[in-house]
């Protein structure tokens, strides 16, 4: 049997993978899903109390972005742990394991740590 924490983690992961790979689907270069995924991730961070920052860049004629959310340490805020995941997909695929699962893990960790900075 799963613990309550494990059940919650399972639910969080499923929710995010479902949103990215089923509701948004294709998140490849040139698809509307790519910006929809960025909006979903940014909204998710904001809902958890983070102040995400978009780092825009161009690929050809398309404006894309990286998203950054920071949770400073309580004792040593200058020390950094970087967690990352890419949210794009191979063209024509829902990308459940490339990389909705990585984004889901990242957002689940963001929720677990929200308001509880590590030293």
């Amino acid at each position: 049997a799963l613990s309550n924490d494990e059940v919650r983690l399972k639910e969080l992961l499923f929710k995010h993978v479902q949103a990215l790979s089923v509701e948004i689907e294709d998140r490849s270069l040139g698809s509307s899903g790519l910006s929809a995924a960025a909006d979903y991730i940014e909204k998710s961070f904001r809902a958890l109390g983070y102040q995400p920052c978009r780092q825009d860049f161009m690929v050809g004629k398309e404006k894309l972005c990286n998203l950054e959310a920071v949770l400073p340490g309580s004792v040593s805020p200058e020390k950094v742990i970087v967690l990352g995941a890419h949210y794009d997909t191979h063209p024509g695929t829902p990308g459940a394991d490339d990389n909705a699962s990585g984004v889901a893990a990242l957002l689940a960790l963001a929720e677990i740590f929200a308001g509880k900075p590590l030293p």
Side-chain angles (χ1 to χ4, degrees), residues 44-111:
S44 297
F45 279 138
R46 286 194 189 286
L48 296 170
Y50 295 92
Q51 299 301 315
C53 173
R54 280 187 183 234
Q55 301 165 348
D56 295 329
F57 61 96
M58 298 298 290
V59 173
K61 295 181 180 180
E62 189 167 356
K63 183 171 125 179
L64 304 175
C65 74
N66 288 322
L67 294 150
E68 176 184 281
V70 176
L71 179 62
S74 61
V75 175
S76 301
E78 72 284 357
K79 293 184 179 178
V80 177
I81 298 172
V82 176
L83 304 174
H86 66 94
Y87 60 90
D88 62 326
T89 63
H90 185 73
T93 68
D97 64 352
D98 182 29
N99 191 8
S101 59
V103 173
L106 185 70
L107 292 173
L109 287 169
E111 182 164 331

Side-chain angles (χ1 to χ4, degrees), residues 8-63:
R8 179 68 184 134
L9 179 58
K10 177 182 162 186
E11 291 168 351
L12 286 172
L13 294 171
F14 182 84
K15 175 183 86 168
H16 294 307
V17 170
Q18 179 83 10
L20 292 164
S21 64
V22 175
E23 295 168 23
I24 296 173
E25 293 183 349
D26 185 353
R27 301 178 309 280
S28 61
L29 192 62
S31 73
S32 63
L34 200 52
S35 64
D39 292 343
Y40 174 82
I41 295 163
E42 183 176 22
K43 181 180 174 184
S44 297
F45 279 138
R46 286 194 189 286
L48 296 170
Y50 295 92
Q51 299 301 315
C53 173
R54 280 187 183 234
Q55 301 165 348
D56 295 329
F57 61 96
M58 298 298 290
V59 173
K61 295 181 180 180
E62 189 167 356
K63 183 171 125 179

